[in-house]
Amino acid sequence: MGNEPGELMHFVHISDSHISSFESERTEAFNRFCSETIKRVNPSFVLHTGDLTDGKGSKGDWTQQEIDWKTYRKTLEDNGLFDRSFWVDIRGNHDSYGAPLWNSPLNLYNQYAVYGKDSNSPFSMQNLTSSAVYSVSGTNDTAVIEFNYQSPSGKSKFTFLSIDLIPETAFSALADLFGYVHPDRAEILLQRLKNAEGNSNQTIVLGHYPIGSIPIRERVFEGKSATIGSISQQSPFLAFLCGHVHQTNYYNMQKQGFHELELADFKIHRYYRVFAYDHSIYSFIDAEMDQNPVILITNPKDSRFISEREPLHRIATSTHIRALIITQAGSVINAEVFIDGKSLGKMSYSGSGHLYTLPWNPQDYPKGTHNIVIQVTGTVSRKISQPFSIDGTVAGLWEPISPLNNFSQVSLGDAIWGISVATLLFVLTLFLLIPKIFRLIMNRTGRWDSFEERMLEKYEWEDHISQNMREGIPAPGNLFTWQIEEILFEYSRIQFLPWLFLTAATFWMFTFPIFIGPLDNNKTWGVIFSHSTLINGQNWTNYETGFVILLYDILMLIPCMVLAAKAARRSHFMEFSKINGGNPPDVSSWHFILPGLPFRKKGFHNCRHNYILKSKGTFGLVFLQLLGFVLMVTYTCLAFGPGSLFCSPVFWIWVCSFIMVGLLIWTEVKRVRQNEISSMGDEDSLSVVSKK
């Protein structure tokens, strides 16, 4: 690699533009990107990895909006970018709301996207050697797009393959968080990858969803499934480009040997990526739209992204440091290079494109990792640094890192679903089944009465602590044993009907439908179970309901279960006066249930610590349950539409839980009122005796 530009090619990657008629600033920014940024960068082509439009209507409904698609197309046409050999756009989940089938009239991608089947986009060729769209047999879909480019010298060829990862469900927001590798589309992708092995220097795959958001979703009865990783194992490729998550840029080396390069969105962050092939070695830089200058070092390559699938030996034999320095027109700059803190001199403009070079001797840095810095000064300024190595030493894990990194090898959908089900099983087993079995055994063996008496003594000791009356009262034994016994005692005394409801509802969430009704914008009826979806005559594995199960676990099952247990514990409230020296609390029943309100009666602070705590806890647990209900209703309406809400069992399970909690609180209110009446009767009796 010298100072010649012939084997250097660069292109632009953008994702998640979300064009919307309700966001004029975003639309204007996209127009500036097409008219100014693209002109300044002057790439060979542009890749857009989905969510071209926002897909949100004026009433908050998630459907395809033709006005947004027209704006997207017109922006490209006005700037001369509506060309199949220059602009490659694939579908994102927002581009398919309400349009699961490719031949649906609601699928506006076909009509307005550059690679839409009915868009009639021109084809100017430029450096494109070939392009093709592949469909699954018997369909009209755009399953895989293949386009092959060559370097300016014509010596190197590069293949780019996109795969459509959108599930065929037509669900809306929150129900399409995870993608799907259709087995038939995966087979086409694999065939094209194998075809490229002997005909291309490097191959890159692109899709909308990141790896962590593509679980092994399959047709349940067919058992077919595929992943990007399994495809790479059969036919290796260099990198996978994606978007979707709208976070900061995220990079990861997958165990199959390819780099996953997720790009932050254009919608919020206004990010784009400059990607370059320099003598078949790739480099990239992620930049904000108005960043000036943009500096991309192409040789030596950033050692954090070294791949065995590249001809890295060319770095060791290169004669020049090479970098793309992209500036606005009229900028006057000087670019100085530093390696390990030592200046090597100023770079020279190659006279073509954005390439700047500087002679160097790579053998001066034979082993280990070194650091290169390019500092640009002049009318604009910027400094960039990166590690490099000549001997192939890979630098450590890079920043920025994504929260999804922990799920890079395991799908985030699998993880969420697994955690939600594990939580459900844990709560069901430990707090509902085991305590009831324990009490049944204790009753059968005749040891329950003595165990109950011992536990009430422990409660009394606990209450004395709260009243600073601990002296002379022996503490319970081992604290851990005490906590276990307390769990067994409290949850075994849950009344039968609340216990039956909670147990049955939990089993229902495991085995029976969670949602039933018109599940998409086409009003197609379907059924959703905890791990599968039955719609359009097909049964698909399903991961999105993992969020609903988590909501049920944390904000319905646990609050209801704790409330039922504490209601049983407070059933000995009649013993309250014994611990308060015979003086009952001067508080009404409703103030007892809601102690934190400003209208509570004077004297309430005399109430036992445990009862104040548990009463405030009651209010908090009911609030959590209400919050969970609101979130569940919101999720259902956004994901499937309001029409499915009243048909869905999860809605009625939540309603029944409110009824159950209301009955528990009403029972406790009656108990408190009985205590008040009893206390007043005792006071009247004492008054009569004193008069006598």
Side-chain angles (χ1 to χ4, degrees), residues 43 64 78 161 167 175 264 271 298 303 305-306 370 436 517 538 607 658:
Q64 297 306 295
D78 289 348
L161 293 165
Y271 262 96
T298 64
S303 59
F305 301 95
I306 283 179
H370 303 269
K436 283 297 182 183
Q538 297 178 339
C607 187
F658 279 118

Side-chain angles (χ1 to χ4, degrees), residues 14-20 26 30 48-55 62 64 68-69 72 87 89-97 109 164 166 176-177 207-210 242-246 265-267:
I14 182 177
S15 191
D16 298 89
S17 53
H18 287 261
I19 301 302
S20 172
R26 188 188 310 160
F30 183 70
H48 195 314
T49 49
D51 282 357
L52 315 175
T53 65
D54 201 36
W62 295 96
Q64 297 306 295
D68 297 341
W69 282 102
Y72 170 76
W87 189 281
D89 46 13
I90 65 175
R91 288 199 311 170
N93 54 310
H94 282 252
D95 304 317
S96 62
Y97 287 160
Y109 173 92
D164 187 84
I166 309 304
D176 62 342
L177 300 177
H208 179 64
Y209 290 91
C242 56
H244 178 60
V245 181
H246 295 258
D265 65 350
F266 186 87
K267 172 184 176 181

